[in-house]
Amino acid sequence: MDRKERTTNLYLWMLLPAGIGAMLWAGWGFRLENVNRGLIGLAFVTIFLSSYLRIQLPRTKIHLTISDALIFLSLLMYGGQVALIIAVLETSFASWNLRRQGVPMRLKTVVINILITAISVFVTWAAVFLTFGSTDTSTLAANNNTFIWTLAVMALAQFCVNSLCVSAFVAIKSESTLWRVWNEYCLNALAMYLCGAVVAGICAKAVQQINMLLFAAMMTFFAIVYITYRRYAIDVKETAAKAEDAERQRAEQAEAHVQELRHYVGELERSGEALRESREKFKHAAYHDALTGLPNRNFFVETLRKLITKSSNGSGSKFAVLFLDLNRFKTINDSLGHSFGDAVIKQVADRLYELIGAADQVGRFSGDEFAIILNDATNTDTVTQFAEKVAKHIAEPFLIQERYIFIGVSIGIAFDNSKYAEVEEILRDADIAMYYAKENQKNYVIFDQKMHMRAVKLLELETDLRYAIERDELELYYQPIVSLDNLTLAGFEALVRWNHPTRGLVPPDEFIALSEDTGLIVPMTVKLLNQACRTLAEWQKGPTRHERLTMSVNISGKHFSEGDLVAQIKTVLAETAIDPVDLKLEVTESAVMENAEQAILTLNQIRETGVRISIDDFGTGYSSLSYLHKFPIDVLKIDRSFVSTMEDGSENGEIVRTVIALAKTLNLNVVAEGIESIHQLHQLRILGCEFGQGYLFSRPLPAPEIRRLLDDNNRWQGIAPQASIPIFPSDGDYTHLPFAQ
């Protein structure tokens, strides 16, 4: 028998005399004549039902039941002997019920619980008796102050005796101190004993005064308190359970991590050489490109940082940074696949590595971008010759999977100077120079400060453009489109202008390309399309209009990648209520050829709305004759570059004739742009061109000035005679025409 068991037995023998004595006292003083229906009902509820209405105090092993209040009630109404007998029977039944439910509870523990119950009830009765002299129903007749003090004494006596006895038993079992157990497990029970005494007092008063309203109020109050606290206790218990589960899982994970760490450390201790090798591999992976094996951006930046530090201290030599970007590499990925593109990148990397010297460095940044550091770059000619050499070697064909691939490169060059304090600055300038080379189709460009200023201005212009769209700074000008047959107004082309608040009127060639690159062209065009259609609707309602007017609006190739272009057009038509046939959307030849199949699909959907389609600047892009008959178009617009040189006797006149003939064959209308002289007008009328626009008729005008033009239907009648002119000579001989010389 161990020490704890011996102490438990000693504690049991200490309780036994007092507990048995209390029970004998209760049995000796019990009178059968006191038994009535109220007592039977109270005893039944206390003994058999109260144990089911139990609540476990949060974070304790103490279970509180309604039995506390019922025992207090029996003490007030029937005296100490009855209360003690009911309490002992309730404890016995509750212990038996817990054991029946599978709760591990030794018989010795049950006996100790019964003895503690008997002692605590006896002491409670004694405390009340010694303090107030009676515990029978006469107590209920006392004044309110005395009654309240009676309840307080009952609760405190019951709490003190019960909590001390239980704490002593738990301290023995857990081998802890009495104070620690009492403070941790039993102190919180004081509030419950006080509540039980109050409830018992209210019930006793209600029964004595036969005040059913008071009794119902008491029962309602107790039910609410009980349900609320039970829900609170359940929530706390569930939360504690979840927290314990989470803590247990964390502990298990921590233990697993510890085991893994121990295993890993053991492996490291057994293989020191392998660790050093893996470190080198990690370092190489962190600073080298996985595809080509060249140094990556991180390694390149670290090297540049050291060179800039040495240069600023005057201890290093001059160097140059070359930033390289492959031309049209995206086409290779899109057409042949990314694996094919990776093979090209590998061969480019090999060629660059073969070209650099031992003191130089080449690295791959990302995608198709490379960079080279040339040391001892004191001579500009040496660097440019190297750049030419790189461009020449990259331009040589690549043989990949029995296929020859040709690709070019654009190179930006930035020379080291004292102004560079950060690596990103020299890389930025080399990148800017590279984009200049790409824009101007040069092999290389050396950076100068003007390029940076232009880049900053472009950034400022982009910011201003975003605000311009929001603030309605964009304005439409309208250039008349004239029927060349009778020189009457047929419609307008809407041309956007930017009325900048500080720079004034900004021409489109300064911001259209920028809006394309940034994607702002899409919301900008939709907004301007709505404005143009509203304006057309107003003009067509004018009292002097007899003929229908059309409105031509340019759309970008970016719109074909937008899935809601057709929906946006339908919305504009519905809001402005114009006839769809009066709207023409102009798209450039190069834009539709970037993704011909997608363009055909989108254009067909637009045509279904009734809107007509024009191919703008026809002849200036790469050949689309094989696709032209597939496009759902209505109009071809001849670019001004061909019209303006018709009088020079060059081949452009023949191109104009061919385009017009092609349009007639395909049943398309033709509009000639850039008509500036009567001679050009005359030639176009001879060829049968149906419509034209240009400064000969009018410059692009703001909407208020167009209103005056609409009132003057005969303003162009005197420009050229109205003779009937055939489209082509019947014999097919064009040598007599002025531009065919």
Side-chain angles (χ1 to χ4, degrees), residues 533-550:
C533 291
R534 289 184 184 277
T535 303
L536 178 64
E538 293 178 5
W539 290 344
Q540 287 185 339
K541 296 176 182 178
T544 60
R545 293 305 309 161
H546 301 291
E547 302 84 4
R548 299 287 294 271
L549 293 175
T550 63

Side-chain angles (χ1 to χ4, degrees), residues 29-89:
F30 179 74
R31 297 290 181 267
L32 289 177
E33 58 268 18
N34 293 333
V35 177
N36 55 33
R37 287 181 297 177
L39 176 59
I40 294 173
L42 178 62
F44 178 81
V45 172
T46 305
I47 296 170
F48 298 108
L49 299 182
S50 62
S51 61
Y52 292 101
L53 303 176
R54 55 199 295 267
I55 301 174
Q56 182 179 2
L57 290 179
R59 297 182 296 275
T60 72
K61 296 182 179 180
I62 298 177
H63 290 80
L64 299 179
T65 71
I66 196 175
S67 61
D68 298 318
L70 296 177
I71 291 171
F72 286 146
L73 179 61
S74 63
L75 182 63
L76 291 171
M77 297 185 64
Y78 298 101
Q81 291 87 350
V82 173
L84 193 148
I85 294 172
I86 293 176
V88 168
L89 293 176

Side-chain angles (χ1 to χ4, degrees), residues 483-741:
S483 173
L484 300 186
D485 181 35
N486 53 19
L487 298 180
T488 59
L489 181 64
F492 298 91
E493 180 180 0
L495 303 170
V496 64
R497 300 291 186 268
W498 182 3
N499 192 7
H500 196 280
T502 58
R503 298 177 55 184
L505 207 60
V506 181
D509 57 355
E510 292 189 21
F511 66 88
I512 290 297
L514 178 63
S515 66
E516 292 262 3
D517 294 338
T518 58
L520 294 173
I521 190 69
V522 175
M524 182 177 74
T525 301
V526 173
K527 195 169 187 178
L528 295 176
L529 176 63
N530 191 294
Q531 180 182 340
C533 291
R534 289 184 184 277
T535 303
L536 178 64
E538 293 178 5
W539 290 344
Q540 287 185 339
K541 296 176 182 178
T544 60
R545 293 305 309 161
H546 301 291
E547 302 84 4
R548 299 287 294 271
L549 293 175
T550 63
M551 180 66 71
S552 298
V553 180
N554 294 280
I555 61 173
S556 166
K558 295 284 186 181
H559 288 274
F560 290 108
S561 59
E562 295 288 331
D564 56 352
L565 173 60
V566 178
Q568 291 169 342
I569 293 173
K570 290 180 179 179
T571 301
V572 170
L573 293 175
E575 291 177 352
T576 58
I578 69 167
D579 192 335
V581 75
D582 294 333
L583 176 61
K584 295 180 182 179
L585 297 181
E586 297 188 2
V587 58
T588 61
E589 177 186 6
S590 57
V592 296
M593 285 305 298
E594 286 181 1
N595 190 345
E597 298 299 333
Q598 177 63 34
I600 291 173
L601 177 62
T602 304
L603 292 176
N604 274 318
Q605 293 175 346
I606 294 175
R607 279 285 300 274
E608 291 176 357
T609 66
V611 175
R612 291 187 285 178
I613 307 296
S614 297
I615 295 294
D616 196 13
D617 301 335
F618 185 76
T620 59
Y622 48 84
S623 175
S624 59
L625 296 179
S626 60
Y627 273 94
L628 189 60
H629 70 283
K630 298 181 181 179
F631 287 124
I633 58 177
D634 304 280
V635 180
L636 287 182
K637 297 193 73 173
I638 304 174
D639 187 66
R640 65 180 70 251
S641 61
F642 300 121
V643 175
S644 62
T645 56
M646 287 177 60
E647 302 169 289
D648 300 340
S650 63
E651 67 276 5
N652 286 344
E654 184 66 21
I655 292 175
V656 173
R657 182 193 66 79
T658 303
V659 171
I660 294 174
L662 177 63
K664 297 300 180 183
T665 303
L666 297 175
N667 294 320
L668 303 176
N669 296 127
V670 183
V671 178
E673 296 183 298
I675 303 176
E676 298 182 357
S677 68
I678 296 176
H679 191 198
Q680 293 169 358
L681 170 62
H682 182 64
Q683 291 174 335
L684 290 168
R685 293 178 72 183
I686 291 175
L687 292 175
C689 183
E690 298 161 297
F691 302 96
Q693 63 186 98
Y695 285 180
L696 177 64
F697 304 113
S698 174
R699 294 175 177 271
L701 300 172
E705 297 185 28
I706 293 294
R707 295 186 180 277
R708 294 194 296 269
L709 185 146
L710 292 173
D711 296 335
D712 187 4
N713 292 327
N714 300 318
R715 65 182 300 161
W716 298 301
Q717 298 301 314
I719 293 179
Q722 297 298 314
S724 177
I725 301 173
I727 297 177
F728 296 113
S730 58
D731 57 2
D733 182 12
Y734 308 102
T735 58
H736 65 285
L737 297 178
F739 54 78
Q741 302 298 323

Side-chain angles (χ1 to χ4, degrees), residues 340-525:
F340 206 95
D342 289 345
V344 173
I345 292 295
K346 289 181 181 179
Q347 292 199 19
V348 170
D350 293 339
R351 292 187 185 183
L352 293 177
Y353 187 77
E354 294 171 357
L355 289 174
I356 64 172
D360 304 325
Q361 186 179 104
V362 59
R364 182 191 179 208
F365 275 25
S366 64
D368 59 339
E369 293 181 346
F370 295 84
I372 297 175
I373 298 176
L374 292 182
N375 287 290
D376 297 324
T378 56
N379 191 329
T380 303
D381 292 339
T382 302
V383 177
T384 56
Q385 289 173 8
F386 177 80
E388 287 284 5
K389 186 178 180 181
V390 169
K392 180 179 178 181
H393 277 69
I394 298 299
E396 294 177 358
F398 296 88
L399 180 60
I400 300 174
Q401 299 178 12
E402 300 181 356
R403 183 193 293 266
Y404 284 100
I405 300 297
F406 293 87
I407 197 168
V409 65
S410 299
I411 305 173
I413 304 173
F415 286 92
D416 168 45
N417 55 54
S418 58
K419 73 173 184 176
Y420 291 123
E422 298 292 337
V423 174
E424 294 301 330
E425 295 176 356
I426 191 170
L427 288 177
R428 175 202 64 200
D429 292 348
D431 190 30
I432 291 173
M434 182 273 294
Y435 276 105
Y436 262 85
K438 190 177 288 289
E439 290 177 4
N440 295 280
Q441 298 182 353
K442 294 182 178 181
N443 290 336
Y444 67 89
V445 166
I446 300 175
F447 173 80
D448 61 46
Q449 196 59 33
K450 293 180 180 179
M451 297 179 185
H452 183 230
M453 294 173 61
R454 179 175 178 270
V456 172
K457 288 182 179 179
L458 281 176
L459 181 60
E460 293 175 352
L461 190 65
E462 178 186 344
T463 303
D464 291 346
L465 183 57
R466 292 182 184 274
Y467 284 117
I469 297 174
E470 296 177 3
R471 298 170 181 171
D472 292 328
E473 294 176 5
L474 299 176
E475 183 180 356
L476 283 178
Y477 276 48
Y478 302 91
Q479 186 171 35
I481 298 176
V482 178
S483 173
L484 300 186
D485 181 35
N486 53 19
L487 298 180
T488 59
L489 181 64
F492 298 91
E493 180 180 0
L495 303 170
V496 64
R497 300 291 186 268
W498 182 3
N499 192 7
H500 196 280
T502 58
R503 298 177 55 184
L505 207 60
V506 181
D509 57 355
E510 292 189 21
F511 66 88
I512 290 297
L514 178 63
S515 66
E516 292 262 3
D517 294 338
T518 58
L520 294 173
I521 190 69
V522 175
M524 182 177 74
T525 301

Side-chain angles (χ1 to χ4, degrees), residues 166-232:
V166 172
S167 298
F169 181 52
V170 175
I172 293 171
K173 293 179 62 178
S174 61
E175 296 183 345
S176 182
T177 62
L178 176 63
W179 167 251
R180 181 177 179 182
V181 173
W182 186 82
N183 182 62
E184 181 177 357
Y185 293 101
C186 298
L187 183 59
N188 294 334
L190 177 59
M192 299 304 299
Y193 283 114
L194 290 174
C195 290
V198 170
V199 171
I202 295 173
C203 291
K205 285 287 187 181
V207 172
Q208 182 196 30
Q209 298 175 9
I210 317 178
N211 189 335
M212 298 307 296
L213 181 61
L214 178 61
F215 185 76
M218 180 276 302
M219 294 302 294
T220 303
F221 167 77
F222 181 75
I224 293 174
V225 171
Y226 174 78
I227 293 173
T228 302
Y229 186 81
R230 183 176 179 84
R231 291 185 61 184
Y232 164 75

